[in-house]
């Protein structure tokens, strides 16, 4: 079959493998029709199931969560199971008992432990003072904490903890990947990770730099499209972070507004941080010493966020840093216009759009955008990697030489003689 399949793929005629096999007398037409109907039926069923899972999540998985389609399906099933399950007596903390269907505290409130209930058996209170829960997601929760070695609480940490034990192995792999990737590309625009290890109850945690700020996506949601001058300043920082990662042979693979956090510096200016290297990939990992710490995309599945993924991430087993630049182009379009260049109702609809559909011109949606920014976005969103900027450094140079002067004419670009 392989030689015939190769011929079909190379042919300019719109034919399929089944039709070719029938034409050559290798299979009966009835068999081809039967197989085609079975395959189409399965694809339709899968698509309906996937769409239903995303609908349950309010479609937040299209942009927000970096998960493969199968993970979205499994997450929906796990959530339904968990919602109907009560904790067993063995799982309850010592200070709580179950009676007549109610949970009753046996200690007065003043003597109740401050550690969150879900962390009681983790052992994290031996290393950290955990102040409060700062956020929650599909893998677990994030807590504001301070190391026991910092009794004056001068350096806040974000403690990411996997709360679902069933997911702890996958989370451990993601955490190891994130630690290694960020350690290879230390930069002021990249989040710093301090510690990671298993918990006493068989889960996993990671302690990282705590950023008092918001995701770029949350700012977009609250304020709408971002003014060009403000975003150009942030884009300069984003490209600096990507340049540091790419020069360390790291492909982030999940560039999108949700993975940029914006904080305020002491002087009131905005500081951007690139976060979540959980699905990052190290090129030449064997040479770098990382080895099998960096596993490839599981089972050949597509990894990344459907709305932002580069075309070659869909079709090729190996990608390079130019895939991040494509995702950055989608991000620029999203932040300055308030919409994505491709609009789909289901996550699977994005994939052929990235592969075949030409995105709209930036100035068709936002006529006030600088001409140079439209050119930059067009180049970033080229379908073929060879037609994009060939490095984040090249894109940064273009931004400072052309986009910055047009967008912020009264302020010299970083690195210029005037600056």
């Amino acid at each position: 079959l392989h030689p015939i399949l190769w011929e079909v793929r190379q042919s300019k005629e719109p034919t399929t493998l089944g039709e070719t096999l029938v034409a050559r007398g290798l299979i009966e037409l009835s068999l081809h029709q039967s197989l085609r109907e079975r395959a189409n039926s399965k694809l339709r069923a899968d698509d309906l199931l996937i769409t239903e899972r995303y609908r349950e999540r309010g479609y937040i998985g299209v942009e927000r969560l970096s998960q493969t389609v199968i993970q979205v399906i499994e997450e929906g099933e796990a959530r339904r199971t968990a919602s109907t399950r009560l904790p067993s007596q063995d799982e309850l903390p010592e200070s709580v008992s179950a009676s007549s269907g109610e949970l009753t505290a046996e200690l007065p409130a003043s003597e109740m432990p401050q550690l969150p209930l879900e962390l009681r058996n983790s052992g994290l209170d031996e290393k950290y003072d955990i102040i409060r829960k700062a956020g929650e997601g599909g893998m677990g929760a994030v807590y504001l904490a301070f190391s026991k070695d910092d009794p004056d609480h001068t350096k806040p940490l974000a403690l990411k903890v996997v709360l679902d034990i069933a997911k702890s192995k996958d989370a451990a792999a993601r955490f190891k990947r994130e630690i290694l990737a960020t350690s290879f590309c230390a930069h002021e625009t990249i989040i710093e990770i301090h510690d990671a290890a298993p918990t006493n109850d068989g889960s996993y945690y990671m302690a990282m730099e705590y950023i008092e700020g918001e995701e770029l996506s949350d700012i977009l949601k609250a304020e709408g499209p971002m003014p060009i001058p403000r975003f150009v300043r942030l884009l300069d920082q984003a490209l600096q972070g990507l340049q540091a990662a790419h020069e360390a042979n790291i492909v982030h693979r999940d560039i999108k507004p949700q993975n940029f956090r914006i904080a305020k510096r002491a002087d009131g200016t905005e500081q951007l941080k690139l976060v979540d290297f959980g699905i990052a990939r190290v090129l030449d990992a064997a040479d770098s010493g990382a080895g099998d710490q960096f596993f490839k995309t599981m089972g050949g599945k597509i990894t990344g966020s459907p709305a932002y993924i580069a075309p070659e991430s869909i079709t090729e087993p190996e990608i390079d840093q130019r895939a991040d630049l494509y995702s950055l182009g989608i991000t620029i379009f999203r932040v300055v216009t308030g919409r994505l260049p491709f609009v789909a109702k289901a996550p699977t609809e994005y994939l052929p759009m990235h592969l075949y559909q030409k995105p709209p011109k930036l100035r068709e949606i936002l006529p006030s955008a600088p001409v140079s920014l439209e050119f930059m976005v067009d180049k970033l969103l080229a379908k073929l990697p060879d037609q994009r900027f060939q490095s984040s450094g090249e894109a940064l140079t273009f931004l400072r030489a052309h986009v910055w002067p047009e967008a912020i004419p009264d302020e010299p670009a970083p690195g210029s003689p005037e600056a």
Side-chain angles (χ1 to χ4, degrees), residues 5-74:
L5 182 58
W6 176 255
E7 290 177 22
V8 170
R9 287 177 173 172
Q10 298 301 309
S11 174
K12 295 181 180 179
E13 298 297 324
T15 186
T16 67
L17 175 62
E19 291 167 344
T20 303
L21 293 174
V22 171
R24 296 190 182 187
L26 296 174
I27 64 171
E28 296 292 333
L29 177 61
S30 58
L31 176 59
H32 162 59
Q33 293 171 334
S34 173
L35 290 173
R36 183 178 59 186
E37 180 53 39
R38 284 165 55 190
N40 287 339
S41 176
K42 182 67 168 63
L43 288 171
R44 286 193 296 270
D46 286 349
D47 193 52
L48 287 172
L49 180 59
I50 293 162
T51 303
E52 178 60 28
R53 291 287 180 264
Y54 274 100
R55 187 178 294 115
E56 290 174 1
R57 300 153 60 99
Y59 290 104
I60 61 172
V62 169
E63 280 192 71
R64 187 171 184 81
L65 298 182
S66 305
Q67 295 177 305
T68 59
V69 167
I70 190 65
Q71 286 174 308
V72 173
I73 296 173
E74 291 173 349

Side-chain angles (χ1 to χ4, degrees), residues 7 11 62 85 89 92 95 115 122 147-148 170 189 218 246 303 323 331-332 365 411 416:
E7 290 177 22
S11 174
V62 169
R85 177 182 174 276
Q89 186 67 36
L92 296 174
S95 59
L115 190 68
S122 67
S147 170
K148 293 287 188 183
D170 287 341
T189 60
D218 289 336
H246 292 169
T303 300
T331 299
I332 295 170
I365 311 300
E411 181 180 325
S416 65

Side-chain angles (χ1 to χ4, degrees), residues 223-262:
E223 302 176 13
M226 186 172 285
I228 297 288
R230 180 185 179 189
F231 182 65
V232 166
R233 296 185 185 97
L234 294 174
L235 181 58
D236 188 277
Q237 296 181 55
L239 281 166
Q240 289 182 55
L242 278 177
Q243 184 176 20
H246 292 169
E247 288 178 351
N249 273 343
I250 306 292
V251 185
H252 187 280
R253 298 205 300 181
D254 202 17
I255 297 299
K256 58 185 178 181
Q258 288 78 9
N259 284 335
F260 292 111
R261 290 191 70 87
I262 314 300

Side-chain angles (χ1 to χ4, degrees), residues 80 134 215 249 279 361 376 390:
R80 288 181 178 180
E215 292 178 359
N249 273 343
I279 62 170
K361 291 283 188 178
M376 183 177 185
Q390 294 305 288

